[in-house]
């Protein structure tokens, strides 16, 4: 983040201090910031937090336990942190600068200055975690789809937990210096007749070598160039495998069809990630190498980053059959239940004969009672009316399958 404008920027292009001279700000800029960050960012952010919480609840269910779902749960958590920091840094200040509301006065001049030195580093850490969790999810799908024989040993729940822990540790260590980039100073505001603290760039953040090496080069390398390049290569390989599999769908096993369906969903997640972060990449390159700062582009990219952190829930509902059924079962009271008597409901809302084989990332475990349970279901179905949400055979999620999630930029 560069301290060159009037507030923190998720694109590293704006400042970490409060402008006390709002009269000099261009009215069109303030209006544009109010629409993009004050209205749309706050609205999308609130909905995104709700969607991410629902995703975490569903992905943490016992029947959803798998390596990829654990990674996606971590992604939902980091996205939620990023959304909250975006609202605190961009959303609420944008509302105050346009409305001059007395309700937000205390926040802007009394709360925000003390939040900024902490929220700013947390935002960058959450962004780094989201980026590399997205990369890890893609790598996991690449192994499962393109190298299924290795997936059994590499794509395990224990390894997923280790990957998340290592990513968090790396993100904290890499962004540790961010906690010393902001300092607080007192200032007397004549127009309000009050003394306030304002966050300003510290001497470390003003050092030109630090800005050139760490803020520009390392940031672009570790947050954009490296992960973007890996995502492009891995997803190109996954896409080729998905196309090949779709042409030979009749010969695919049930497990292979599930893996291909999951890979397709995660491809959609990565595509949205690219779309929402490409503008931020462009603005950072312009600012780092050409000294060009387009404030409207920065504010728009902040909105897109927040959108990227908020839409994974929608993707899961559209492409994840098992996720959708669990969502309807847990949160929609009018969702019909399987059989009102006699027949036991399976964890993913499918009839028991569909769960006689439980699959997880290339590992197949055959249920000993599968055939008997299947026959008991058929007998009960003749006696009792049974209503359930049918899943398409080639896209239904497994008992132990998982999903992935996305990332952001600051």
């Amino acid at each position: 983040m560069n301290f060159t404008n009037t507030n923190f920027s998720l694109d590293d292009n704006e400042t970490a201090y409060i402008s006390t001279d709002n009269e000099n700000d261009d009215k069109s800029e303030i209006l544009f910031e109010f629409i993009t960050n004050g209205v749309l960012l706050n609205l999308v952010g609130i909905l995104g937090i709700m969607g991410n919480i629902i995703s975490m609840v569903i992905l943490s269910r016992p029947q959803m336990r798998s390596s990829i779902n654990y990674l996606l749960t971590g992604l939902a958590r980091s996205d939620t942190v990023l959304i909250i920091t975006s609202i605190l840094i961009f959303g609420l200040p944008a509302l105050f600068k346009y409305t001059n509301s007395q309700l937000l006065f205390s926040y802007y001049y009394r709360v925000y200055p003390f939040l900024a030195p902490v929220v700013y580093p947390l935002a960058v850490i959450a962004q780094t975690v989201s980026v590399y969790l997205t990369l890890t999810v893609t790598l996991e799908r690449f192994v499962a789809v393109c190298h299924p024989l290795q997936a059994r040993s590499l794509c395990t729940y224990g390894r997923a937990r280790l990957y998340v822990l290592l990513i968090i540790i790396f993100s904290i260590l890499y962004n540790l210096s961010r906690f010393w980039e902001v300092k607080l100073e007192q200032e007397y505001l004549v127009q309000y007749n009050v003394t306030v603290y304002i966050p300003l760039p510290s001497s470390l953040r003003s050092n030109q070598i630090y800005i050139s090496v760490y803020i520009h080069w390392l940031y672009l390398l570790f947050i954009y160039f490296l992960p973007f390049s890996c995502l492009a290569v891995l997803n190109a390989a996954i896409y080729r495998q998905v196309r090949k599999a779709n042409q030979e769908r009749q010969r695919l096993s049930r497990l292979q069809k599930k893996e291909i369906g999951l890979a397709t969903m995660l491809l959609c997640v990565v595509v949205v990630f690219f779309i929402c972060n490409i503008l931020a990449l462009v603005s950072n390159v312009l600012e780092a190498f050409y000294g060009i700062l387009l404030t409207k582009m920065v504010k728009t990219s902040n909105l897109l980053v927040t959108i990227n952190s908020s839409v994974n829930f929608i993707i899961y509902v559209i492409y994840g059959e098992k996720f959708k059924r669990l969502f309807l079962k847990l949160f929609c009271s009018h969702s019909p239940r399987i059989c009102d008597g006699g027949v036991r409901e399976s964890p993913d809302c499918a009839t028991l004969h569909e769960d006689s084989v439980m699959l997880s990332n290339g590992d197949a475990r055959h249920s000993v009672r599968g055939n008997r349970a299947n026959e008991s279901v058929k007998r009960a179905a003749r006696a009792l009316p049974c209503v359930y949400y049918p899943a398409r055979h080639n896209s239904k999620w497994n008992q132990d399958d998982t999903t992935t999630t996305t990332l952001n930029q600051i």
Side-chain angles (χ1 to χ4, degrees):
M1 299 184 186
N2 289 345
F3 300 110
T4 55
N5 220 313
T6 56
N7 54 10
F8 282 103
S9 170
L10 284 179
D11 298 309
D12 243 13
N13 289 326
E14 291 187 276
T15 79
Y17 64 87
I18 298 174
S19 171
T20 59
D21 194 12
N22 286 342
E23 294 82 9
N24 295 330
D25 291 339
D26 184 76
K27 291 183 179 180
S28 65
E29 292 284 347
I30 295 178
L31 177 60
F32 184 83
E33 183 181 6
F34 171 73
I35 295 174
T36 55
N37 291 0
V39 177
L40 296 178
L41 187 147
N42 286 324
L43 179 61
V44 171
I46 292 173
L47 295 176
I49 291 173
M50 295 172 59
N52 286 335
I53 291 175
I54 295 174
S55 297
M56 286 185 276
V57 171
I58 295 176
L59 294 173
S60 300
R61 302 285 292 180
Q63 58 267 45
M64 298 291 285
R65 189 177 186 273
S66 66
S67 62
I68 191 119
N69 281 343
Y70 187 85
L71 295 174
L72 291 179
T73 302
L75 183 57
R77 290 169 180 165
S78 61
D79 283 342
T80 301
V81 173
L82 191 62
I83 293 172
I84 293 174
T85 56
S86 297
I87 292 175
L88 294 176
I89 293 175
F90 307 122
L92 297 181
L95 288 176
F96 171 76
K97 285 192 284 185
Y98 182 78
T99 62
N100 286 316
S101 169
Q102 289 296 320
L103 185 63
L104 293 173
F105 176 87
S106 295
Y107 172 79
Y108 191 72
Y109 285 111
R110 294 193 175 98
V111 178
Y112 173 78
F114 293 95
L115 283 180
V118 177
V119 174
Y120 161 62
L122 287 179
V124 188
I125 291 173
Q127 178 204 15
T128 308
V129 171
S130 295
V131 168
Y132 282 94
L133 278 178
T134 302
L135 179 58
T136 305
V137 163
T138 303
L139 182 61
E140 199 266 3
R141 281 299 88 197
F142 171 77
V143 173
V145 172
C146 301
H147 303 281
L149 296 179
Q150 285 75 35
R152 194 168 193 173
S153 59
L154 296 178
C155 304
T156 64
Y157 192 81
R159 284 181 178 270
R161 297 178 65 177
L162 177 62
Y163 298 153
V164 172
L165 178 61
L166 292 177
I167 288 173
I168 292 175
I169 293 174
F170 166 76
S171 301
I172 293 175
L173 293 178
Y174 173 72
N175 294 292
L176 199 59
S177 63
R178 302 281 188 175
F179 287 93
W180 288 275
E181 289 188 3
V182 182
K183 66 179 181 180
L184 295 180
E185 289 188 0
Q186 277 188 337
E187 182 168 320
Y188 178 73
L189 303 182
V190 178
Q191 64 270 40
Y192 296 112
N193 191 27
V194 62
T195 300
V196 298
Y197 284 93
I198 60 173
L200 293 171
S202 65
S203 57
L204 173 66
R205 187 57 181 81
S206 302
N207 186 284
Q208 290 302 315
I209 297 177
Y210 178 82
I211 293 175
S212 177
V213 175
Y214 181 76
I215 299 299
H216 289 165
W217 282 103
L218 292 182
Y219 183 83
L220 288 172
L221 176 63
F222 286 104
I223 303 300
Y224 289 110
F225 294 153
L226 179 61
F228 272 49
S229 301
C230 293
L231 285 171
V233 173
L234 293 174
N235 280 282
I238 294 173
Y239 178 72
R240 285 196 300 269
Q241 191 68 21
V242 169
R243 287 193 60 184
K244 180 180 177 181
N246 286 332
Q247 294 171 357
E248 303 174 355
R249 179 165 290 274
Q250 296 299 327
R251 292 184 291 175
L252 294 179
S253 66
R254 184 170 179 264
L255 173 60
Q256 289 173 323
K257 290 180 180 179
K258 291 177 181 294
E259 295 290 0
I260 293 300
L262 181 55
T264 303
M265 185 192 73
L266 299 184
L267 276 174
C268 182
V269 170
V270 174
V271 169
V272 172
F273 169 75
F274 272 115
I275 294 174
C276 291
N277 283 276
I278 192 65
L279 190 62
L281 172 61
V282 172
S283 64
N284 274 276
V285 170
L286 289 176
E287 197 270 341
F289 298 105
Y290 301 100
I292 300 175
L293 180 63
L294 304 175
T295 56
K296 289 187 177 181
M297 177 184 291
V298 171
K299 298 182 192 310
T300 303
S301 63
N302 289 337
L303 173 61
L304 290 176
V305 167
T306 305
I307 292 174
N308 177 69
S309 298
S310 306
V311 299
N312 284 340
F313 167 75
I314 299 175
I315 297 174
Y316 300 158
V317 169
I318 294 175
Y319 290 97
E321 292 292 339
K322 187 174 181 180
F323 185 95
K324 178 164 54 180
R325 285 195 301 274
L326 280 175
F327 170 70
L328 294 173
K329 175 186 174 183
L330 294 174
F331 298 99
C332 299
S333 59
H334 298 292
S335 165
R337 301 178 63 87
I338 293 183
C339 300
D340 294 326
V343 182
R344 180 169 59 88
E345 181 183 8
S346 68
D348 62 351
C349 297
T351 51
L352 286 178
H353 73 276
E354 291 181 314
D355 286 313
S356 60
V357 179
M358 295 176 289
L359 307 166
S360 175
N361 292 325
D363 184 19
R365 301 195 305 270
H366 297 272
S367 174
V368 177
R369 298 179 298 173
N371 294 333
R372 294 180 182 176
N374 184 21
E375 300 212 351
S376 66
V377 170
K378 291 180 180 178
R379 287 196 299 271
R382 297 190 193 101
L384 297 171
C386 181
V387 181
Y388 67 100
Y389 286 93
R392 291 173 296 189
H393 178 70
N394 56 2
S395 62
K396 175 180 172 295
W397 283 25
N398 306 319
Q399 177 116 350
D400 292 315
D401 250 357
T402 59
T403 38
T404 98
T405 159
T406 121
L407 84 117
N408 324 4
Q409 161 275 319
I410 295 185

